[in-house]
């Protein structure tokens, strides 16, 4: 029987090709890991110890998440990516670490003499745990790098994803350590403030809540640098993440090894090594955020010249203060819906600036023209609310020198004019 006119064979897609199926399978996997982790931690700490550990371990989490969200405010990442990163660190990476560290510790204890078993525990904490734990946390960053490339473009993205993953890992690990400390205090019949619990809380929650995020952000830096490199530099894009992971393992090993030293030596390592590294990372975070704002101020004027944006917008969009003022103006004049529209406009304009930067660097990819037109369309449909608010906000800012848009000797691969193909031909109503 002949096929109907215009019929074309379409091969059936495999079930795994469906994004919803993959997302559902990942959620199910993380939920299963979470249940297993809860059971393992409760088995080791007891119900009362688990609840105490949970209550104390949750205290630094909002502060750490808020710090990474502050760093990510210029171009906020979707919450689903951050939830995945935290869940992976708290569930999957922790489960991998518990299992692998357990097997490694048993092997070390069975391979050394009885008199040397205390040393075997130190070897495991110094040389085995950093490799296992940093590899487990790096898996989340790798998955986001491979499957969420649109949201993973630079070092800020790598640091944020890695830091949130490590925050989740530290959260579960703190439950275990604090719960065990409380169980120890209970077994010795301590009254009043439990000594072991208080000491563990001071060391892990007050003195070093940034430890795990600090280690894993080295891995995130490696992936972030790789994401910003041109596709033709394949070897470097593979080696840089490995170098970041190795740095994370070394930092973690130094930290764990210092815990087995005398208190004075531990404080020396803390003050002379960990604090400077943390300070350098803090400076890098602030510099990277300012660099993102400079990127907006540099690459958006091309769209202002083409007529897509009004003259005050590149300046307003490159200022966090002006962004907040614009949202407040829209909220006063149009309510929460108008403020949400302005926030969306700011997000799309920021993505547009970074997309043009990647085109300038040759890293935009073949879908650059379609992505650019998509973002321009989103701006066009929201401009009647967002542009007046941004214009009013820009009036509150000083007028610095605004550089002209950069010119290219030759168009980058996949480049089209900002008024490019499709239904839009410059500002005006789509044809």
């Amino acid at each position: 029987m002949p096929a109907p006119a215009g019929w074309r064979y379409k091969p059936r897609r495999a079930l795994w090709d469906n994004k919803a199926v993959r997302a559902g399978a990942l959620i199910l996997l993380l939920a299963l890991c979470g249940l297993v982790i809860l059971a393992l931690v409760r088995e080791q700490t007891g119900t009362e110890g688990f609840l105490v550990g949970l209550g104390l371990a949750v205290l630094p989490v909002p502060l750490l998440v808020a710090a990474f969200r502050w760093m990510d405010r210029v171009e906020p990442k979707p919450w689903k990516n951050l939830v995945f990163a935290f869940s992976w660190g708290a569930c999957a990476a922790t489960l991998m670490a518990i299992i692998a560290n357990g097997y490694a510790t048993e092997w070390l204890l069975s391979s050394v003499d009885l008199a040397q078993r205390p040393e075997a525990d130190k070897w495991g904490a110094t040389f085995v745990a950093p490799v296992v734990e940093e590899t487990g946390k790096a898996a989340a960053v790798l998955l986001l790098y491979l499957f969420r490339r649109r949201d993973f473009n630079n070092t800020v993205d790598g640091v944020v994803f890695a830091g949130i993953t490590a925050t989740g890992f530290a959260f579960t690990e703190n439950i275990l350590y604090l719960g065990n400390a409380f169980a120890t205090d209970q077994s010795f019949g301590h009254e009043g403030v439990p000594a072991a619990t208080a000491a563990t809380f001071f060391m892990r929650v007050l003195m070093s809540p940034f430890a795990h995020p600090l280690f894993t952000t080295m891995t995130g830096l490696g992936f972030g640098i790789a994401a910003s490199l041109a596709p033709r530099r394949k070897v470097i894009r593979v080696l840089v993440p490995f170098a970041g992971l190795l740095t994370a393992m070394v930092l973690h090993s130094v930290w764990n090894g210092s815990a087995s030293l005398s208190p004075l030596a531990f404080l020396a390592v803390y003050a002379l090594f960990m604090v400077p590294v943390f300070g350098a990372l803090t400076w890098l975070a602030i510099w990277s955020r300012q660099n993102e704002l400079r990127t907006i101020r540099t690459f958006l004027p091309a769209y202002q010249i083409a007529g897509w944006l009004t003259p005050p917008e590149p300046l307003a969009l490159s200022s966090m203060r002006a962004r907040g003022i614009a949202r407040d103006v829209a909220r006063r004049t149009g309510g929460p819906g108008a403020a949400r529209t302005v926030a969306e406009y700011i997000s799309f304009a920021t993505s547009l600036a970074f997309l043009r930067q990647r085109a300038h660097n040759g890293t935009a990819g073949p879908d650059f023209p379609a992505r650019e037109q998509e973002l321009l369309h989103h701006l066009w449909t929201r401009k009647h609310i967002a542009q007046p608010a941004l214009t009013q906000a820009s009036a509150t800012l000083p007028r610095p020198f605004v550089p002209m848009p950069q010119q290219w000797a030759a168009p980058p691969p996949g480049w089209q004019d900002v008024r490019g193909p499709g239904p839009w031909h410059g500002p005006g109503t789509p044809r």
Side-chain angles (χ1 to χ4, degrees):
M1 183 175 181
W7 180 85
R8 185 176 61 180
Y9 171 72
K10 294 182 180 179
R12 293 185 61 185
R13 297 176 61 187
L15 183 63
W16 188 248
D17 291 338
N18 190 301
K19 290 184 179 180
V21 173
R22 293 201 301 268
L26 185 59
I27 293 172
L28 182 61
L29 174 63
L30 290 176
L32 181 61
C33 290
L35 292 175
V36 174
I37 281 293
L38 289 176
L40 290 175
V41 173
R42 181 185 172 280
E43 182 181 359
Q44 293 190 36
T45 62
T47 302
E48 191 174 358
F50 171 79
L51 294 176
V52 171
L54 176 63
L56 296 176
V58 78
L59 294 178
V61 172
L63 297 177
L64 291 171
V65 171
F68 287 111
R69 287 294 289 174
W70 174 88
M71 184 178 179
D72 194 38
R73 277 186 64 198
V74 177
E75 189 189 19
K77 297 297 167 286
W79 272 105
K80 61 182 179 181
N81 293 345
L82 302 182
V83 170
F84 163 77
F86 185 90
S87 301
W88 183 278
C91 301
T94 311
L95 181 60
M96 293 165 59
I98 289 176
I99 295 174
N101 287 339
Y103 279 117
T105 301
E106 290 180 6
W107 178 80
L108 285 172
L109 292 177
S110 63
S111 302
V112 299
D113 296 333
L114 186 64
Q116 295 181 325
R117 287 192 174 182
E119 295 297 324
D121 288 335
K122 297 179 183 178
W123 297 339
T126 304
F127 300 109
V128 177
V131 175
V132 171
E133 295 176 7
E134 294 306 323
T135 301
K137 289 180 284 184
V141 186
L142 175 62
L143 290 173
L144 289 166
Y145 177 80
L146 293 176
F147 299 105
R148 288 293 183 268
R149 287 294 283 115
R150 180 176 286 188
D151 301 322
F152 203 136
N153 304 309
N154 51 39
T155 55
V156 173
D157 301 336
V159 168
V160 170
F161 288 141
I164 295 293
T165 302
T167 299
F169 184 93
F171 168 65
T172 304
E173 190 179 62
N174 284 342
I175 296 175
L176 181 61
Y177 277 90
L178 290 165
N180 282 333
F182 182 81
T184 300
D185 286 328
Q186 292 295 101
S187 64
F188 284 101
H190 287 293
E191 297 181 358
V193 178
T197 306
T200 304
F201 179 81
F202 175 78
M203 287 297 301
R204 298 190 66 87
V205 177
L206 298 181
M207 191 174 180
S208 59
F210 59 85
H212 274 289
L214 176 62
F215 308 146
T216 312
T217 50
M218 299 299 136
T219 304
L221 277 174
F223 278 102
I225 294 172
S228 63
L229 295 174
R232 64 179 181 274
R233 307 179 70 177
K234 295 181 180 179
V235 176
I236 298 180
R237 292 180 73 184
V238 172
L239 293 180
V240 170
F242 276 109
L245 177 59
L246 181 61
T247 304
M249 292 176 180
V250 171
L251 288 176
H252 199 156
S253 180
V254 170
W255 175 256
N256 284 5
S258 67
S260 61
L261 302 176
S262 65
L264 186 60
F266 170 78
L267 290 176
V269 171
Y270 182 88
L272 300 178
F273 185 72
M274 300 303 295
V275 171
V277 173
F278 177 74
L281 182 63
T282 302
W283 173 84
L284 178 63
I286 297 173
W287 178 86
S288 298
R289 175 170 153 153
Q290 293 302 316
N291 188 56
E292 287 188 325
L293 294 173
R294 283 192 294 270
T295 297
I296 296 171
R297 193 159 53 245
T298 300
F299 287 94
L300 280 187
Y303 297 97
Q304 179 255 311
I305 293 173
W308 289 100
L309 305 178
T310 59
E313 285 183 77
L315 177 62
L317 290 166
S318 62
S319 166
M320 299 304 296
R321 176 169 173 264
R323 290 179 173 203
I325 292 174
R327 290 192 296 268
D328 291 339
V329 168
R331 185 178 293 106
R332 289 196 303 268
T333 58
R340 185 164 53 251
T341 298
V342 171
E344 293 170 351
Y345 186 93
I346 292 171
S347 176
F348 289 127
T350 302
S351 298
L352 185 64
F354 290 145
L355 180 67
R356 189 173 179 92
Q357 181 199 38
R358 293 197 296 276
H360 173 68
N361 296 335
T363 61
D367 64 338
F368 166 71
R371 177 62 177 157
E372 182 190 44
Q373 291 293 342
E374 177 188 349
L375 291 171
L376 288 172
H377 172 67
H378 286 306
L379 294 181
W380 193 258
T381 58
R382 294 165 174 80
K383 72 182 184 69
H384 61 287
I385 294 177
Q387 287 184 347
L390 287 166
T391 300
Q392 186 172 342
S394 69
T396 65
L397 301 176
R399 297 289 172 175
F401 171 74
V402 179
M404 292 297 292
Q406 299 197 18
Q407 301 295 324
W408 298 317
W415 165 255
Q416 298 288 337
D417 187 77
V418 293
R419 294 163 292 185
W424 301 278
H425 294 265
T429 305
R431 296 192 307 182

